[in-house]
């Protein structure tokens, strides 16, 4: 059976997602959707030209929702990046725009009876993931946000740079909202065979500073080039490949947690059936309080978006 991914929204992020998929040859068919037909057609032609110098090929389709009907994964990269250029670095400023567009796209996916998995990059990701699930009616475990998969990577990078090691040698999670109420759950972080909370004092690590660096990493990139794309595109494609290969991998993604009544980032096992198993971390009392604050914020914003 042909492997197929759809990318909806071909701005900086969607284009980076599509380029990664094409250059690595992850699928047999790729469907690109964007309201700017000239842009999406140009991207598709550019990718077809690139294939002459690649070791693989794929079929590329544009602006055809019917072609998405049998896709394994659809990735939402909708957005209006200009709205992110605000004084408070608040991802929720995009909500009036993205909530409307997400509902329109979700209705179109429902109209073609799409039954695959949806990966949401679109900000504010936790609320938009919930909107996609509610409008499409897909099972909650089949609609997943990239969430803090990227923020956790930013934390791992920040820690690794302080210790002079590979970021892949750092394990642990940022939890909650993919936004300003997220936090690093230091009780989950392990490095050099030790809990980082034990290592920090001897190595002179300022955990508060590292938490802040992870939280604002996206803003740092944004203010440098007025968008972010490579980190989140890589996270989204990793998540898509995890689903398509049934890798059964533990990832901190935005998934629906009944105890909090919303989508938020918390580690889960991801495979062909989406979120296959939700994990339960042994968090500290302070971390649990932070997670509840983040959940309350997401819930409030979701209710506002649907009012």
């Amino acid at each position: 059976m042909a492997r197929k991914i759809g990318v909806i929204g071909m701005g900086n992020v969607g284009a980076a997602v599509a380029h990664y998929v094409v250059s690595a040859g992850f699928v047999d068919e790729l469907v690109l959707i964007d309201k700017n037909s000239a842009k999406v057609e140009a991207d598709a032609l550019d990718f077809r030209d690139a294939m002459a110098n690649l070791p693989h090929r794929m079929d590329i389709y544009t602006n055809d929702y019917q072609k998405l009907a049998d896709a394994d994964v659809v990735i939402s990269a909708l957005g209006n990046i200009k709205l992110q250029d605000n004084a408070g670095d608040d991802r929720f400023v995009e909500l009036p725009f993205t909530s409307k567009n997400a509902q329109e796209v979700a209705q179109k996916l429902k109209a073609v009876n799409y039954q695959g998995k949806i990966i949401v990059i679109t900000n504010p990701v936790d609320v938009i993931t919930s909107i996609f699930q509610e409008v499409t009616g897909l099972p909650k475990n089949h609609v997943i946000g990239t969430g803090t998969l990227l923020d956790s990577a930013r934390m791992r990078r920040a820690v690794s740079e302080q210790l002079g090691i590979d970021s892949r040698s750092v394990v642990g999670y940022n939890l909650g909202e993919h936004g300003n109420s997220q936090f690093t759950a230091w009780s989950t972080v392990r490095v050099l065979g030790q809990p980082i909370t034990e290592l920090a004092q001897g190595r002179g690590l300022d955990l508060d500073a590292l938490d802040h660096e992870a939280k604002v990493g996206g803003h740092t990139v944004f203010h440098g080039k007025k968008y972010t794309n490579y980190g989140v595109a890589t996270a989204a494609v990793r998540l898509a490949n995890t689903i398509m290969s049934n890798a059964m991998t533990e990832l901190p993604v935005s998934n629906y947690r009944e105890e909090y009544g919303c989508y938020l980032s918390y580690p889960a096992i991801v495979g062909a059936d989406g979120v296959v198993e939700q994990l339960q971390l042994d968090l500290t009392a302070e971390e649990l309080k932070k997670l509840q604050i983040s959940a309350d914020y997401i819930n409030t914003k979701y209710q506002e978006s649907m009012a």
Side-chain angles (χ1 to χ4, degrees):
M1 184 177 175
R3 301 163 300 165
K4 182 187 284 192
I5 284 178
V7 180
I8 301 178
M10 286 297 291
N12 295 308
V13 174
V17 168
H19 180 253
Y20 187 13
V21 171
V22 171
S23 61
F26 288 136
V27 297
D28 305 296
E29 298 179 69
L30 179 64
V31 184
L32 308 177
I33 305 284
D34 196 278
K35 288 183 177 180
N36 185 338
S37 58
K39 168 66 163 60
V40 73
E41 292 294 345
D43 278 330
L45 180 58
D46 212 359
F47 289 140
R48 292 187 188 105
D49 289 342
M51 285 182 206
N53 290 312
L54 292 173
H56 42 255
R57 70 168 301 281
M58 66 185 63
D59 293 318
I60 299 178
Y61 308 98
T62 60
N63 282 353
D64 187 347
Y65 273 87
Q66 194 60 54
K67 291 289 186 183
L68 293 176
D70 62 348
D72 299 286
V73 174
V74 166
I75 299 173
S76 169
L78 299 165
N80 184 345
I81 195 62
K82 293 180 180 179
L83 296 175
Q84 287 295 330
D85 199 4
N86 64 89
D89 289 329
D90 184 4
R91 291 179 174 90
F92 274 92
V93 297
E94 278 198 82
L95 185 56
F97 175 87
T98 54
S99 61
K100 177 183 177 182
N101 281 269
Q103 289 179 62
E104 291 175 358
V105 167
Q107 289 286 3
K108 291 178 180 178
L109 291 173
K110 187 175 182 180
V112 298
N113 195 32
Y114 178 67
Q115 296 298 314
K117 312 303 181 294
I118 297 177
I119 293 173
V120 180
I121 300 173
T122 301
N123 278 320
V125 69
D126 305 290
V127 170
I128 298 300
T129 303
S130 189
I131 289 173
F132 266 103
Q133 188 279 320
E134 181 169 323
V135 176
T136 61
L138 289 170
K140 289 184 171 68
N141 64 307
H142 289 182
V143 185
I144 309 170
T146 50
T148 60
L149 183 57
L150 174 56
D151 304 294
S152 298
R154 287 172 173 150
M155 176 272 293
R156 294 164 63 195
R157 186 266 309 159
V159 171
S160 72
E161 289 179 349
Q162 285 290 305
L163 295 174
I165 61 173
D166 190 324
S167 60
R168 292 170 297 183
S169 297
V170 181
V171 297
Y173 305 116
N174 278 38
L175 303 179
E177 176 205 359
H178 173 59
N180 294 335
S181 69
Q182 68 168 277
F183 64 97
T184 303
W186 292 116
S187 67
T188 70
V189 181
R190 299 288 185 276
V191 62
L192 302 176
Q194 293 180 259
I196 198 169
T197 49
E198 296 177 9
L199 187 70
Q201 188 171 2
R203 293 291 186 119
L205 296 179
D206 184 338
L207 297 186
D208 289 338
L210 289 170
D211 174 70
H212 179 72
E213 186 173 348
K215 185 181 298 184
V216 303
H219 306 315
T220 302
V221 173
F222 177 85
H223 290 302
K225 62 182 189 179
K226 295 304 178 183
Y227 60 91
T228 63
N229 57 338
Y230 300 127
V232 72
T234 303
V237 174
R238 182 190 181 191
L239 182 51
N241 282 333
T242 299
I243 291 169
M244 291 192 299
S245 64
N246 193 29
M248 303 296 282
T249 303
E250 180 180 333
L251 298 172
V253 293
S254 186
N255 60 112
Y256 188 84
R257 300 287 302 201
E258 288 286 351
E259 68 269 42
Y260 293 106
C262 66
Y263 275 87
L264 53 72
S265 282
Y266 201 105
I269 302 298
V270 179
D273 197 37
V275 172
V276 177
E277 180 180 353
Q278 294 183 311
L279 305 187
Q280 194 63 50
L281 300 173
D282 186 18
L283 300 175
T284 67
E286 182 182 3
E287 289 166 347
L288 287 170
K289 182 178 180 180
K290 289 179 178 179
L291 190 57
Q292 186 63 62
I293 290 170
S294 194
D296 290 345
Y297 185 68
I298 293 167
N299 271 314
T300 296
K301 291 296 186 178
Y302 174 71
Q303 294 302 324
E304 289 176 3
S305 73
M306 300 302 285

